[in-house]
Amino acid sequence: MTDYRKTDEAVAALTPEQYRVTQRSGTERPGTGEYLNNKEPGIYVDIVSGEPLFASSDKYESGCGWPSFPRPIEPANVAELRDTSHGMIRTEVRSANGDSHLGHVFEDGPTDRGGLRYCINSASLRFVRRDDMEAQGYGAYLDQVIDSAVKG
């Protein structure tokens, strides 16, 4: 079993924007994230710990300005916390092992896929292409990645 965790080296390698988002619970400006329009098959992992988070085949276009998913690829790798910042009550999403701020989850996702919308900052993620998954230790998730055609 892989040991997914935050290391000083991984945090030091972050860009200023990745650091602000993952370590300071920041948010990218809507429509600006690197993976918003990504349609390649693969998985999204925590940029700090490498823990698998979301599959490209689950990604859908929600219109919110951030990559959206109806569910995590590995529920144990996602922690949900009450967030009362900015004068509202939301559910923050963090990576369970890396403790990176990922974004928020809302209950307005596609009803036929569970009704959730995990609204995730690209700066929190690293994308692993399907062709690279086995070599990078993510072969166990290949069955969850199909050709991506981002769903509307």
Side-chain angles (χ1 to χ4, degrees):
M1 181 173 202
T2 305
D3 181 24
Y4 300 112
R5 59 189 171 87
K6 178 191 283 191
T7 65
D8 291 340
E9 295 80 20
V11 172
L14 297 173
T15 67
E17 176 73 346
Q18 291 166 337
Y19 185 87
R20 183 183 71 79
V21 170
T22 63
Q23 306 304 299
R24 298 283 183 234
S25 300
T27 300
E28 298 170 326
R29 287 187 358 255
T32 65
E34 175 182 5
Y35 299 123
L36 178 60
N37 297 311
N38 183 32
K39 295 180 177 153
E40 292 185 68
I43 63 170
Y44 297 88
V45 303
D46 176 11
I47 196 157
V48 173
S49 68
E51 59 200 291
L53 299 169
F54 302 98
S56 63
S57 46
D58 279 333
K59 187 172 181 263
Y60 69 96
E61 178 52 58
S62 69
C64 71
W66 292 273
S68 297
F69 307 87
R71 66 186 176 97
I73 193 171
E74 190 68 66
N77 290 344
V78 175
E80 296 180 9
L81 307 166
R82 181 180 167 99
D83 176 3
T84 58
S85 65
H86 306 291
M88 57 184 117
I89 299 173
R90 302 178 291 175
T91 302
E92 178 188 13
V93 181
R94 297 186 77 83
S95 61
N97 298 295
D99 193 34
S100 296
H101 172 73
L102 303 174
H104 291 85
V105 62
F106 302 95
E107 295 181 356
D108 62 356
T111 55
D112 64 331
R113 297 169 72 194
L116 297 177
R117 173 174 54 98
Y118 286 82
C119 184
I120 306 298
N121 291 286
S122 291
S124 301
L125 304 172
R126 179 173 66 86
F127 182 70
V128 180
R129 288 173 180 76
R130 180 177 52 198
D131 292 345
D132 299 327
M133 287 173 58
E134 189 76 47
Q136 292 188 31
Y138 300 104
Y141 299 98
L142 280 165
D143 65 338
Q144 295 190 45
V145 176
I146 58 173
D147 285 332
S148 287
V150 174
K151 299 152 189 71

